[in-house]
Amino acid sequence: GVGDEVVISVWGAAEFQSPFTISKDGSIFPNRVGKIFLQGLSFQAARSVVRSKFRRVLPSGSNVDIALGKVRTVRVYVYDQVKRPGMITMSALNTPINALQMAGGLTKYGNMRDIQIRRNGMIIQRIDLYEYLKTGHSGREFYMEDNDVITVGLYDIVVKAEGAFKRPMRYQMTKYGTLSELIELA
């Protein structure tokens, strides 16, 4: 994103190393290569784009690599059912899960099934912490931007599973949760 620094290194048939800061239009502008737009790309995608652009102008036998230099910080707001609501300043490489941890986690009434991330007033991502705990990821790769708002509302439904379950306990269910979903969780 804008303000992040990438360091481009070239070695082999040509040698070069220089840091570039992503400008307000989302690009870097290396001499003889031209503008390279990187804003919004994942690191892997940015690496691929930079390599492709540099290989067009470098002699064969040159290697190109990109690394992150300085990473910008972002202000994120976390509200409602978290232990320490308010503004959090964090690295732009952090995820919403990191922001929730910095806010002290959810209160006992926090909805683990529908955490909303808003950007410019619109919901751009929803996170189900049960899915995150089950699989280790919360969906697509997603990073926070300046002034994003994370809202944790009140849970919808809590159901207690008792008896011959591997994990008998209380579970939060979505409004449209089913008995088979509860059995799978328990």
Side-chain angles (χ1 to χ4, degrees), residues 94-110:
N94 283 316
T95 66
I97 303 294
N98 300 123
L100 290 171
Q101 289 173 327
M102 292 175 185
L106 279 60
T107 67
K108 67 181 182 177
Y109 302 110

mmCIF file of all heavy atoms in Angstrom, residues 94-110:
data_model
loop_
_atom_site.group_PDB
_atom_site.id
_atom_site.type_symbol
_atom_site.label_atom_id
_atom_site.label_comp_id
_atom_site.label_asym_id
_atom_site.label_seq_id
_atom_site.Cartn_x
_atom_site.Cartn_y
_atom_site.Cartn_z
ATOM 1 N N ASN A 94 -0.513 -6.411 9.676
ATOM 2 C CA ASN A 94 -1.362 -7.126 10.613
ATOM 3 C C ASN A 94 -2.738 -7.373 10.023
ATOM 4 O O ASN A 94 -3.172 -6.683 9.108
ATOM 5 C CB ASN A 94 -1.485 -6.347 11.925
ATOM 6 C CG ASN A 94 -0.263 -6.484 12.790
ATOM 7 O OD1 ASN A 94 0.272 -7.570 12.945
ATOM 8 N ND2 ASN A 94 0.201 -5.389 13.349
ATOM 9 N N THR A 95 -3.420 -8.352 10.590
ATOM 10 C CA THR A 95 -4.742 -8.746 10.121
ATOM 11 C C THR A 95 -5.792 -8.334 11.148
ATOM 12 O O THR A 95 -5.448 -7.918 12.261
ATOM 13 C CB THR A 95 -4.792 -10.274 9.938
ATOM 14 O OG1 THR A 95 -4.648 -10.882 11.231
ATOM 15 C CG2 THR A 95 -3.703 -10.767 8.991
ATOM 16 N N PRO A 96 -7.069 -8.477 10.835
ATOM 17 C CA PRO A 96 -8.111 -8.185 11.821
ATOM 18 C C PRO A 96 -7.974 -9.030 13.093
ATOM 19 O O PRO A 96 -8.282 -8.551 14.186
ATOM 20 C CB PRO A 96 -9.402 -8.518 11.074
ATOM 21 C CG PRO A 96 -9.062 -8.365 9.641
ATOM 22 C CD PRO A 96 -7.628 -8.778 9.515
ATOM 23 N N ILE A 97 -7.497 -10.248 12.977
ATOM 24 C CA ILE A 97 -7.304 -11.102 14.152
ATOM 25 C C ILE A 97 -6.282 -10.457 15.090
ATOM 26 O O ILE A 97 -6.472 -10.419 16.308
ATOM 27 C CB ILE A 97 -6.836 -12.520 13.739
ATOM 28 C CG1 ILE A 97 -7.824 -13.178 12.769
ATOM 29 C CG2 ILE A 97 -6.583 -13.387 14.955
ATOM 30 C CD1 ILE A 97 -9.182 -13.490 13.301
ATOM 31 N N ASN A 98 -5.195 -9.909 14.525
ATOM 32 C CA ASN A 98 -4.198 -9.207 15.339
ATOM 33 C C ASN A 98 -4.818 -8.003 16.039
ATOM 34 O O ASN A 98 -4.534 -7.743 17.209
ATOM 35 C CB ASN A 98 -3.015 -8.746 14.488
ATOM 36 C CG ASN A 98 -2.294 -9.871 13.801
ATOM 37 O OD1 ASN A 98 -2.170 -9.873 12.592
ATOM 38 N ND2 ASN A 98 -1.809 -10.846 14.549
ATOM 39 N N ALA A 99 -5.655 -7.252 15.338
ATOM 40 C CA ALA A 99 -6.302 -6.077 15.928
ATOM 41 C C ALA A 99 -7.199 -6.479 17.088
ATOM 42 O O ALA A 99 -7.226 -5.807 18.126
ATOM 43 C CB ALA A 99 -7.104 -5.326 14.870
ATOM 44 N N LEU A 100 -7.920 -7.590 16.942
ATOM 45 C CA LEU A 100 -8.780 -8.065 18.034
ATOM 46 C C LEU A 100 -7.947 -8.451 19.251
ATOM 47 O O LEU A 100 -8.332 -8.183 20.394
ATOM 48 C CB LEU A 100 -9.631 -9.252 17.571
ATOM 49 C CG LEU A 100 -10.722 -8.908 16.564
ATOM 50 C CD1 LEU A 100 -11.342 -10.183 16.004
ATOM 51 C CD2 LEU A 100 -11.785 -8.024 17.195
ATOM 52 N N GLN A 101 -6.805 -9.072 19.026
ATOM 53 C CA GLN A 101 -5.919 -9.417 20.139
ATOM 54 C C GLN A 101 -5.416 -8.160 20.829
ATOM 55 O O GLN A 101 -5.366 -8.097 22.052
ATOM 56 C CB GLN A 101 -4.730 -10.248 19.640
ATOM 57 C CG GLN A 101 -5.108 -11.640 19.222
ATOM 58 C CD GLN A 101 -3.954 -12.386 18.563
ATOM 59 O OE1 GLN A 101 -3.123 -11.798 17.893
ATOM 60 N NE2 GLN A 101 -3.919 -13.690 18.773
ATOM 61 N N MET A 102 -5.040 -7.135 20.056
ATOM 62 C CA MET A 102 -4.559 -5.885 20.636
ATOM 63 C C MET A 102 -5.648 -5.178 21.436
ATOM 64 O O MET A 102 -5.353 -4.409 22.348
ATOM 65 C CB MET A 102 -4.020 -4.960 19.544
ATOM 66 C CG MET A 102 -2.753 -5.455 18.903
ATOM 67 S SD MET A 102 -2.319 -4.349 17.539
ATOM 68 C CE MET A 102 -0.913 -5.199 16.869
ATOM 69 N N ALA A 103 -6.907 -5.420 21.080
ATOM 70 C CA ALA A 103 -8.037 -4.830 21.799
ATOM 71 C C ALA A 103 -8.429 -5.676 23.006
ATOM 72 O O ALA A 103 -9.474 -5.442 23.612
ATOM 73 C CB ALA A 103 -9.222 -4.657 20.857
ATOM 74 N N GLY A 104 -7.626 -6.665 23.354
ATOM 75 C CA GLY A 104 -7.894 -7.483 24.536
ATOM 76 C C GLY A 104 -8.819 -8.654 24.305
ATOM 77 O O GLY A 104 -9.192 -9.352 25.243
ATOM 78 N N GLY A 105 -9.237 -8.885 23.075
ATOM 79 C CA GLY A 105 -10.138 -9.992 22.774
ATOM 80 C C GLY A 105 -11.593 -9.585 22.958
ATOM 81 O O GLY A 105 -11.910 -8.440 23.286
ATOM 82 N N LEU A 106 -12.461 -10.540 22.743
ATOM 83 C CA LEU A 106 -13.896 -10.290 22.834
ATOM 84 C C LEU A 106 -14.366 -10.392 24.280
ATOM 85 O O LEU A 106 -13.786 -11.117 25.082
ATOM 86 C CB LEU A 106 -14.666 -11.322 21.992
ATOM 87 C CG LEU A 106 -14.762 -11.081 20.494
ATOM 88 C CD1 LEU A 106 -13.413 -11.033 19.831
ATOM 89 C CD2 LEU A 106 -15.626 -12.122 19.850
ATOM 90 N N THR A 107 -15.447 -9.683 24.592
ATOM 91 C CA THR A 107 -16.107 -9.851 25.884
ATOM 92 C C THR A 107 -16.874 -11.170 25.833
ATOM 93 O O THR A 107 -17.007 -11.779 24.757
ATOM 94 C CB THR A 107 -17.094 -8.702 26.174
ATOM 95 O OG1 THR A 107 -18.180 -8.789 25.241
ATOM 96 C CG2 THR A 107 -16.417 -7.342 26.087
ATOM 97 N N LYS A 108 -17.432 -11.581 26.951
ATOM 98 C CA LYS A 108 -18.165 -12.857 26.968
ATOM 99 C C LYS A 108 -19.450 -12.791 26.136
ATOM 100 O O LYS A 108 -20.035 -13.808 25.813
ATOM 101 C CB LYS A 108 -18.458 -13.315 28.393
ATOM 102 C CG LYS A 108 -19.406 -12.460 29.160
ATOM 103 C CD LYS A 108 -19.579 -13.023 30.567
ATOM 104 C CE LYS A 108 -20.561 -12.215 31.376
ATOM 105 N NZ LYS A 108 -20.774 -12.798 32.693
ATOM 106 N N TYR A 109 -19.869 -11.581 25.763
ATOM 107 C CA TYR A 109 -21.075 -11.419 24.948
ATOM 108 C C TYR A 109 -20.761 -11.174 23.467
ATOM 109 O O TYR A 109 -21.654 -11.022 22.647
ATOM 110 C CB TYR A 109 -21.921 -10.256 25.472
ATOM 111 C CG TYR A 109 -22.322 -10.440 26.911
ATOM 112 C CD1 TYR A 109 -21.771 -9.636 27.909
ATOM 113 C CD2 TYR A 109 -23.225 -11.422 27.276
ATOM 114 C CE1 TYR A 109 -22.120 -9.814 29.227
ATOM 115 C CE2 TYR A 109 -23.582 -11.612 28.599
ATOM 116 C CZ TYR A 109 -23.025 -10.805 29.563
ATOM 117 O OH TYR A 109 -23.372 -10.987 30.882
ATOM 118 N N GLY A 110 -19.483 -11.136 23.121
ATOM 119 C CA GLY A 110 -19.079 -10.833 21.746
ATOM 120 C C GLY A 110 -19.442 -11.930 20.765
ATOM 121 O O GLY A 110 -19.306 -13.123 21.052
#
